[in-house]
Each structure stands twice: as structure tokens, then as C-alpha cells.
Amino acid sequence: MRYFIWLTFLLALLWLGLSGVYKPLLFILGGASIALVVWLTERMEVLGAEHDPGALSWRLPVYWLWLIGQVVLANIAVAAAVINPRRIRPRMIEIDAPQHSRVGQVTYGNSITLTPGTVTTRLDGSQGRLQIHALLPEAISDLEAGEMERRVCWLEGPP
Amino acid sequence: MTELILDVVSGLLLLGGAAFAVIGGIGVMRFPDIFTRLHAGGITDTLAPLLIVGGLVLQSGFTLLTFKLLLILLFLLFTTPAASHATARAALVAGLQPVTRDSTDQKETRSSNS
Amino acid sequence: MGAVLLATILAIFTTMILALWRAIAGPSVYDTIVGVNVFGTKTVLLIALITYFSGNDDLIDVALVYALINFLAVIAVLKLIRQRDLAAAPEGGDD
């Protein structure tokens, strides 16, 4: 039930933000759309542990801020490599994804892909292995140092 | 006075985003194979939207326009990793070998099995 | 402010031309997809910038819809290339 209240709230926020025209007719249409979407979601049974909008905790904004800082740093490194392409040392590596849930592993993989200079090419969920294509040696040593891994584990919280 | 400062900061953010977008575009042209080009495309897909949307948000303040801009940024930041991963995965499955280069080997090798 | 916006728009145009060049030059079909993907995200930014440049706030909705369509298009084209069929069943396994 908590899922549906959260979903209704987020959808209402989205409608109000996107419409910008506040008239009774549009409120009725919006309410009908939200009811339809919530009903469809319930019928499709997609709202479960992996799709819970209410699972967003206070840790998420903190993690995003840190991630944006990392993205900016990695961007500067890759931009320098574009200007001087002799610096690139492309390599394929494999690292562990020790997160205990699928959402955690996917978050880790997507964070790695979002950071320029590293792209996750394969995620083996059952063994918790990530295959990564990396552009620069600095990016590889950063990944192997495990800062991002610890942050994602922290974001995920205890099992 | 604050208006002037906001204009200057927003202008700097916009020009910075534009510069990174062009650098990313040059990288997409210049890098030797598909996987390295993905990294260059990553610059234009992450930092350039961040800076440009940041600059535009500073100009409009708390309005619906800002909300929609931030929504666009959120969509872009959520979808580009998925698109990059799908492209890299599809290229690997299709048998394209990534160019790998050790620190001693300076010669250009190109993937040509397409 | 208009001059800065115009300069940014022109820079985005330059990037789009470079991405289009890569899409045409190839050599593999995946290079084309990388080029088209960059071209698409730059289009979103371009529309957002033109919204401010022209002062017509309704254009931002076009950018929003384009951001969604671009992602779906890239995924659909990748699936089409890989399986030659958009309606194919999902593959087994974990990839």
C-alpha cells in the first residue's frame, strides 16, 4: 500500500510540474490519468522490491552529489586525453560487485558507465562480477581502490 | 548586482558546457575504435548537459521551466549509461575486438572487422 | 546574454556536425549508433538552448519528449541490429 501512495504522490508531482495550467478540467484529467496508471501498475505487478519509489532514502542525494563530483573529475581527465590521444591506454578489466541486491549491482554498474572513461560491458549478477572497458590507467586504479564500491554498499544499506 | 553575478556565472557555465561538448565531439572523431569513442561520447552526454542545464537554470530561477529542465537532465543522466552499456555490449557480442595498448606500445591499431 | 546563448548554440552545432560525420564515416554500424546517440542528446540540449534564445517557453516540452524518444530509438535500433526482429522474445541468460 505504501508503494501506491508513493507512486500516486510522485505522479501527481510530475503532472503538476509538466502541465503548468491549473484549471479544474485539467485537475480532473490529471487525477484520472494517475488513477489509470496506478491501476495498470497494480495489474502488471511491476511494483515490487525492485521498483519501489518509496525505497529512495536520504542517502540517495548524498550519493548523487558525490557521483556528480566524480563525473566532473573523470570528464576533465578524458577531455585531456582527447586533446592528447597518446595518453589513452584502453584495457578490459574485471572487478567484483559485492553488493547483495540486484538493484545495488545495477547501480554500481551504471555509476561506472556514467563516469566517462569507464564503461561496464557485462554484469554477471550471480557471481557478482563486472567486466569493464577503461580508457585511462588512472580510472582503473581508482576503481580498484574501491571508493565507489564502498559508497554504493553504503547507499544500499544493510541487507 | 546579484543579477550581474548570476548572469556572469551562468554565462561561464554555458560556455564551459559548450567547450566540453566540442571536445567530446572531437574525441568521437579522433579516437581509434568504437569503445574509446563511447568514452568520448560520454563527455558530451554527462558534463555538457550538467553545465548547460546548470547555466540555463540560473537564468530562470524557480519556475516551471526550471523543473522541466531538471527533469530533462535527470532523464539524460539515467538513460545515457543504459544506452552506452547496450552499445558496448552489442559491439562485443558482434565480435568487435577493443583496441588495447600497453604503455610501451605506441603504434596505432585499428579495429577493422566490421 | 543573447550572445553567449548564440555562441553555445553554435558550439553544439559543431558537435552535432562532428557526431554526424562519425555516423556517416562508420566504419562499423556501432560507430554509427554512437554518433547518432551523441547527435540525439545534443539535439535535446539545442532545443533547450533555443527555448531560452527565442523566449518561447513551450519549446521545452519538445526537448523533454525528444530526450525520451532518443533513448528508446537507440535501444530499438540496437535490438533490431542484433536480432533482426523488434518483436523477438527476450534472450535467456543475464545479459
Side-chain angles (χ1 to χ4, degrees):
Chain A
M1 197 58 212
R2 198 169 59 91
Y3 303 150
F4 292 107
I5 293 170
W6 261 106
L7 185 64
T8 313
F9 173 71
L10 288 178
L11 286 174
L13 199 67
L14 190 65
W15 177 279
L16 291 177
L18 288 184
S19 107
V21 182
Y22 303 116
K23 291 180 184 165
L25 175 66
L26 282 165
F27 281 131
I28 293 169
L29 287 176
S33 324
I34 293 170
L36 179 70
V37 170
V38 172
W39 178 67
L40 282 178
T41 320
E42 195 268 331
R43 255 183 76 88
M44 286 167 71
E45 297 178 351
V46 290
L47 203 66
E50 289 186 19
H51 302 267
D52 178 7
L56 309 174
S57 72
W58 60 272
R59 296 174 187 227
L60 200 58
V62 179
Y63 178 70
W64 279 356
L65 276 182
W66 177 80
L67 187 62
I68 286 175
Q70 291 299 301
V71 165
V72 172
L73 291 180
N75 263 301
I76 293 167
V78 177
V82 170
I83 292 168
N84 181 11
R86 287 184 172 280
R87 288 183 50 195
I88 62 172
R89 307 272 177 267
R91 267 179 66 199
M92 301 287 287
I93 57 166
E94 284 211 1
I95 61 166
D96 280 324
Q99 289 76 23
H100 52 80
S101 68
R102 289 166 68 96
V103 184
Q105 287 176 338
V106 170
T107 308
Y108 188 33
N110 262 1
S111 304
I112 289 172
T113 313
L114 190 62
T115 321
T118 45
V119 170
T120 310
T121 52
R122 189 155 203 277
L123 166 60
D124 190 339
S126 54
Q127 291 175 9
R129 298 288 284 172
L130 289 169
Q131 191 189 37
I132 291 165
H133 182 270
L135 185 68
L136 297 165
E138 296 87 17
I140 296 175
S141 52
D142 277 359
L143 275 180
E144 281 169 350
E147 171 80 19
M148 183 181 277
E149 181 187 307
R150 277 194 300 278
R151 295 266 180 172
V152 178
C153 286
W154 172 81
L155 170 71
E156 199 181 21
Chain B
M1 189 61 201
T2 43
E3 195 128 311
L4 185 69
I5 294 174
L6 272 186
D7 267 6
V8 169
V9 172
S10 125
L12 286 179
L13 285 177
L14 284 175
L15 291 178
F20 272 101
V22 173
I23 289 175
I26 293 170
V28 169
M29 279 309 299
R30 197 170 182 189
F31 275 171
D33 78 328
I34 162 83
F35 299 96
T36 45
R37 278 172 207 146
L38 265 179
H39 298 308
I43 299 184
T44 69
D45 287 350
T46 55
L47 193 60
L50 267 174
L51 291 177
I52 288 179
V53 169
L56 292 181
V57 161
L58 283 183
Q59 286 193 26
S60 59
F62 290 99
T63 53
L64 274 184
L65 204 56
T66 302
F67 179 79
K68 288 177 188 174
L69 270 177
L70 292 179
L71 214 55
I72 289 176
L73 184 65
L74 198 69
F75 281 139
L76 281 182
L77 290 185
F78 265 86
T79 54
T80 50
S84 296
H85 167 75
T87 313
R89 182 89 196 111
L92 266 188
V93 168
L96 275 117
Q97 289 303 315
V99 172
T100 52
R101 199 195 301 169
D102 292 329
S103 47
T104 53
D105 184 15
Q106 287 287 343
K107 70 171 185 289
E108 293 280 324
T109 48
R110 281 172 189 280
S111 71
S112 56
N113 52 346
S114 56
Chain C
M1 216 54 227
V4 175
L5 280 176
L6 193 61
T8 316
I9 288 173
L10 289 179
I12 299 287
F13 264 128
T14 315
T15 312
M16 287 169 82
I17 291 169
L18 289 169
L20 205 57
W21 188 359
R22 171 50 66 202
I24 292 169
S28 76
V29 67
Y30 301 101
D31 295 290
T32 309
I33 290 171
V34 171
V36 169
N37 192 11
V38 171
F39 188 82
T41 50
K42 292 292 90 58
T43 313
V44 176
L45 287 182
L46 186 68
I47 299 173
L49 284 165
I50 289 176
T51 308
Y52 279 75
F53 191 65
S54 68
N56 182 0
D57 287 1
D58 294 340
L59 270 174
I60 199 75
D61 293 324
V62 180
L64 194 57
V65 172
Y66 203 94
L68 294 172
I69 290 178
N70 177 49
F71 170 66
L72 289 182
V74 168
I75 298 295
V77 169
L78 278 172
K79 187 175 179 187
L80 186 65
I81 290 167
R82 190 159 155 195
Q83 308 188 329
R84 307 270 165 219
D85 182 7
L86 278 181
E91 300 160 66
D94 55 0
D95 63 20

